[in-house]
Amino acid sequence: MVALTELVAWCDTLLGVADYQDYSPNGLQVEGRPEVHTVVSGVSASRALLERAVERNADLVLVHHGWFWRGEDLRVVGMKRRRLALLLAHDISLLAYHLPLDGHAEVGNNARLGELFGINIEGRFGPGPNGGIACFGSLPAPLSAAEFAGRVGQALGREAVLVPGGERPVRRVGWCSGGADGYLEQAAALGLDAYVSGELGEPTVHAAQELGVHYVAAGHHATERYGVQALGAHLAGRFGIRHEYIEVPSPA
């Protein structure tokens, strides 16, 4: 057991929340009971995840995609009301970390992706402190673009979409979880051969071809499953509490 206030303060400090300018509030979004015995984690605070947290008698739900995004309707009605009512009825807290959980050097989504891909992080770029949330590094040996995309898909358990950027082999690679295909030009400026992110916007197809950088779209959800798992495991070890990650499948 750990006090909710202690757990939240630890996470906020660990992830360096104060250093980020984000699109939603990081940290405690909904306050539940004052003590935490069981944490359920997942990618997004959907009703499906919340219902499974209730079934497991969770005290706290830890997610990457929480609520209260910039520009959204502020009214608590409809779907938002039903989700919030479920948490309040069962006195469950909601803890969400967005960009800080992408960028952390150990439990972050991009740090975990580097390990999955078998690439040591040599540097960072993109937005955020400490050089940025996106990472780059080198493969042990060059691969063709198709071979590299296949390796990414195999690591994440889903087919990755490849937009070839010419015929160059892949040795130096950049990556950033989620909807970060907009950093492709920065990847090109670094001289990277390939760049991996979660989504494929229409302009990205043309940019990859014109910049000569292979682009691999590996899934928004698929690239952001690993930070909450690592953070949840970290909290379980530090505070002696129970943690369970729940996969709510998404084709996005």
Side-chain angles (χ1 to χ4, degrees), residues 151-169:
R151 179 174 293 187
V152 169
Q154 184 177 27
L156 297 179
R158 59 170 287 164
E159 184 176 0
V161 177
L162 170 66
V163 179
E167 301 297 328
R168 67 197 291 181

Side-chain angles (χ1 to χ4, degrees), residues 106-132:
E106 296 177 2
V107 301
N109 283 317
N110 290 317
R112 307 323 305 160
L113 287 178
E115 184 171 316
L116 277 173
F117 298 158
I119 307 174
N120 292 325
I121 297 174
E122 298 172 1
R124 290 177 171 270
F125 64 103
N130 305 313

Side-chain angles (χ1 to χ4, degrees), residues 4-29:
L4 174 65
T5 53
E6 181 181 356
L7 184 148
V8 172
W10 176 261
C11 289
D12 286 354
T13 301
L14 175 70
L15 298 178
V17 166
D19 296 329
Y20 286 86
Q21 293 183 340
D22 213 335
Y23 317 107
S24 65
N26 286 294
L28 188 63
Q29 293 191 340

Side-chain angles (χ1 to χ4, degrees), residues 130-147:
N130 305 313
I133 63 173
C135 300
F136 66 86
S138 301
L139 297 173
L143 298 173
S144 70
E147 288 172 332

Side-chain angles (χ1 to χ4, degrees), residues 43 64-65 102 109 177-179 219-228:
V43 175
H64 182 53
H65 298 141
D102 287 317
N109 283 317
S177 59
H220 194 133
H221 176 89
T223 57
E224 296 192 325
R225 289 185 294 215
Y226 304 100
V228 287

